[in-house]
């Protein structure tokens, strides 16, 4: 590590300390990182002059003589991150200040012919052109995909494959001069839930995102396995039947073919509940949840079927890596409390019971937009950008 790198990383650490503890003083930072007071003073002055930090005035109670400590805060006005969330139905572009507050959310509905990388890039360009008096630290793209940045490859079962292929390359070309990050959607949701929810930083959990596809991320000891690339766990392709339905991935009986929103119609037929949803097209989790609320027997039966398959997989996942919480996010939450109840019931007798019985099954607490904040916080917690 050369001296310049060392200085930059010290500066980033000081910035992080101020971000995570607003109002912290120079002396407290020096103590926390065991830096000399001179080092802290010099680097804080640089952070202030570069517009990352503000000096918020005197600390209330001061007892020592000499220079009185002052409170340091993140400057929320001069720098920002642009956070882009590309989903199946919507393109969401927003900005995050350096405290992670999201604002200026712009939503562009996507139809099939528009859902391509060039359209996304064009909209982000236009968004950036409208921004004034603020420096963009980075552009974060959130994708419903597995991201292999070194190979410049994205694979997604949701977004159009041909269009996705050149996306990383195109984005890097068009936004040349900016830092760019590509994150997996489930990872960003999991990170937001873990940072903003009621969980302890050391709690281990399995976050499961159930929409058309199914994604999952393990957080062990506060760390996401595989980072935010989504490359480590492929829950959607966990096979529950090696002779089951063939999947695009090449496997058979993948969980996505049993529980994903796209296969609801077929599952309804399988349990003889199809007639209930005759006039609903496409059939979504919320439609089933609505009928279940009214105790419609067909809807309840369908939920039991889905929960049975999901519970089987979750119990096995917990057997491989024990977790304290299994957090369910995504549209499947619209299936309601009965779905959770059935999952809890269906894990009984599957997998290593001491592990399974220790796990708590809950729905994610944060709303859909928390994904933007999740990406912003993940970036600031893991990347040096100052
Ligand atoms: Zn598969």
């Amino acid at each position: 590590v050369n001296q310049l790198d060392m200085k930059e990383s010290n500066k980033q650490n000081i910035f992080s300390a101020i971000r995570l503890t607003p109002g912290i003083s120079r002396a407290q930072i020096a103590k926390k990182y065991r830096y000399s007071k001179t080092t802290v003073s010099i680097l804080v002055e640089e952070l202030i002059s570069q517009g990352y930090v503000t000096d918020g005035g005197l600390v209330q109670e001061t007892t020592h003589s000499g220079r009185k400590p002052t409170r340091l805060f993140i400057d929320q006005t001069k720098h920002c991150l642009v956070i882009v969330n590309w989903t199946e139905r919507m393109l969401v572009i927003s900005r995050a200040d350096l405290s992670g507050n999201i604002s200026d959310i712009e939503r562009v509905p996507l139809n099939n012919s528009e859902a391509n990388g060039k359209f996304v890039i064009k909209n982000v360009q236009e968004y950036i052109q409208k921004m004034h008096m603020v420096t963009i630290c980075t552009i974060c793209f959130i994708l419903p995909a597995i991201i292999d940045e070194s190979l410049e490859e994205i694979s997604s079962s949701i977004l159009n494959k041909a269009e996705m292929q050149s996306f990383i390359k195109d984005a890097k070309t068009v936004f040349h001069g900016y830092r760019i990050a590509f994150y997996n959607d489930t990872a960003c949701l999991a990170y937001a839930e873990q940072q903003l929810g009621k969980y302890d930083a050391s709690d281990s959990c399995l976050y499961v995102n159930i929409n058309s596809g199914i994604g999952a991320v393990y957080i062990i000891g506060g760390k996401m396995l595989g980072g935010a690339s989504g490359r480590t766990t492929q829950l959607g392709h966990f096979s529950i039947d090696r002779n089951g339905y063939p999947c695009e991935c090449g496997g058979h009986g993948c969980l996505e073919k049993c529980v994903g929103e796209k296969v609801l119609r077929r599952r309804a037929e399988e349990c003889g509940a199809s007639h209930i949803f005759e006039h609903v097209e496409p059939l979504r989790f919320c439609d089933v949840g609505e009928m279940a609320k009214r105790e419609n027997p067909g809807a309840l039966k369908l939920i039991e079927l889905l929960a049975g398959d999901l519970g089987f997989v979750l119990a096995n996942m917990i057997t491989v890596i024990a977790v304290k919480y299994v957090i369910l996010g995504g549209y499947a939450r619209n299936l309601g409390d009965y779905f959770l109840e059935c999952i809890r019931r269906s894990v009984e007798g599957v997998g290593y019971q001491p592990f399974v019985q220790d796990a708590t099954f809950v729905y994610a607490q944060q709303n859909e937009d928390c994904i933007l904040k999740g990406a912003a916080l993940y970036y600031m917690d893991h990347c040096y950008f100052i």
Side-chain angles (χ1 to χ4, degrees):
V1 185
N2 68 41
Q3 216 144 36
L4 189 67
D5 286 345
M6 181 85 97
K7 185 191 155 193
E8 291 309 310
S9 82
N10 290 348
K11 208 163 141 185
Q12 183 81 35
N13 284 340
I14 291 174
F15 173 80
S16 296
I18 300 168
R19 187 167 68 77
L20 299 173
T21 315
I24 196 170
S25 71
R26 288 169 178 79
Q28 286 168 320
I29 294 171
K31 200 172 157 199
K32 182 173 175 174
Y33 290 102
R34 296 185 188 164
Y35 295 158
S36 76
K37 285 184 180 168
T38 320
T39 301
V40 174
S41 287
I42 292 168
L43 295 179
V44 166
E45 284 327 302
E46 278 190 31
L47 286 167
I48 291 174
S49 70
Q50 290 170 336
Y52 290 109
V53 164
T54 59
D55 195 326
L58 290 177
V59 173
Q60 288 298 317
E61 65 267 24
T62 50
T63 50
H64 339 264
S65 53
R67 191 176 168 180
K68 299 222 161 52
T70 58
R71 292 156 63 85
L72 299 167
F73 295 91
I74 293 303
D75 190 327
Q76 298 174 342
T77 61
K78 297 187 183 72
H79 294 83
C80 77
L81 286 70
V82 172
I83 313 286
V84 182
N85 186 23
W86 181 4
T87 74
E88 194 177 10
R89 296 168 201 165
M90 190 79 76
L91 174 66
V92 183
I93 311 174
S94 64
R95 59 189 269 185
D97 69 27
L98 296 187
S99 298
N101 301 308
I102 303 293
S103 64
D104 298 347
I105 300 179
E106 206 173 282
R107 292 173 210 275
V108 186
L110 295 175
N111 60 47
N112 282 339
S113 63
E114 281 175 343
N116 64 53
K118 297 207 165 46
F119 182 80
V120 170
I121 287 170
K122 186 179 95 65
N123 274 274
V124 175
Q125 273 180 306
E126 286 168 9
Y127 185 91
I128 287 173
Q129 277 160 12
K130 284 185 277 182
M131 295 171 76
H132 296 294
M133 311 292 286
V134 62
T135 306
I136 297 168
C137 294
T138 191
I139 306 171
C140 296
F141 290 96
I142 308 166
L143 307 164
I146 305 157
I147 294 134
D148 188 337
E149 220 179 316
S150 58
L151 295 174
E152 301 199 330
E153 262 180 25
I154 298 176
S155 45
S156 171
S157 57
I158 315 271
L159 299 173
N160 182 312
K161 226 172 221 147
E163 291 295 349
M164 293 295 287
Q165 277 323 318
S166 62
F167 181 65
I168 290 186
K169 220 191 229 162
D170 290 349
K172 281 182 176 170
T173 308
V174 172
F175 300 112
H176 176 77
Y178 290 99
R179 287 190 191 86
I180 313 184
F182 299 92
Y183 292 152
N184 169 263
D185 56 350
T186 303
C188 295
L189 285 168
Y191 201 69
E193 189 70 26
Q194 206 248 0
Q195 294 290 310
L196 308 171
K198 56 182 168 56
Y199 313 100
D200 202 282
S202 61
D203 286 342
S204 53
C205 69
L206 174 64
Y207 185 97
V208 184
N209 188 26
I210 309 174
N211 297 305
S212 303
I214 299 175
V217 171
Y218 276 109
I219 297 179
I220 306 295
K223 287 209 159 52
M224 275 203 286
L225 288 190
S229 66
R231 289 178 66 204
T232 306
T233 307
Q234 270 296 7
L235 190 64
H237 300 279
F238 187 112
S239 177
I240 61 169
D241 179 3
R242 61 195 161 139
N243 299 313
Y245 276 89
C247 175
E248 293 80 15
C249 76
H252 289 81
C254 291
L255 184 64
E256 219 161 89
K257 295 286 164 210
C258 306
V259 182
E261 199 166 48
K262 274 183 187 163
V263 298
L264 271 184
R265 172 70 59 194
R266 196 192 78 226
R267 298 311 317 261
E269 277 163 22
E270 282 170 18
C271 68
S274 189
H275 60 282
I276 307 161
F277 308 108
E278 217 166 30
H279 304 293
V280 191
E281 187 57 43
L283 182 56
R284 293 187 175 163
F285 287 128
C286 56
D287 306 311
V288 181
E290 271 308 309
M291 294 297 265
K293 250 188 233 163
R294 285 180 256 146
E295 311 228 327
N296 178 291
L300 297 178
K301 220 165 156 190
L302 176 54
I303 287 179
E304 287 159 18
L305 190 68
L306 300 173
D309 287 341
L310 184 62
F312 173 77
V313 170
L314 294 179
N316 281 312
M317 296 289 281
I318 297 167
T319 302
V320 177
I321 299 181
V323 293
K324 194 168 171 192
Y325 293 99
V326 175
I327 305 169
L328 301 179
Y331 297 132
R333 283 182 290 178
N334 294 326
L335 291 172
D337 291 338
Y338 188 61
F339 184 53
L340 261 188
E341 199 184 309
C342 290
I343 289 171
R344 290 187 190 118
R345 219 181 299 150
S346 70
V347 299
E348 281 171 27
V350 181
Y352 184 59
Q353 291 299 291
F355 282 4
V356 172
Q357 280 160 17
D358 261 0
T360 305
F361 296 79
V362 292
Y363 278 136
Q365 310 275 311
Q366 310 298 318
N367 68 20
E368 304 286 323
D369 278 341
C370 79
I371 195 168
L372 305 169
K373 189 159 184 160
L377 293 178
Y378 186 85
Y379 184 81
M380 287 193 281
D381 288 344
H382 294 86
C383 296
Y384 280 11
F385 64 99
I386 279 177

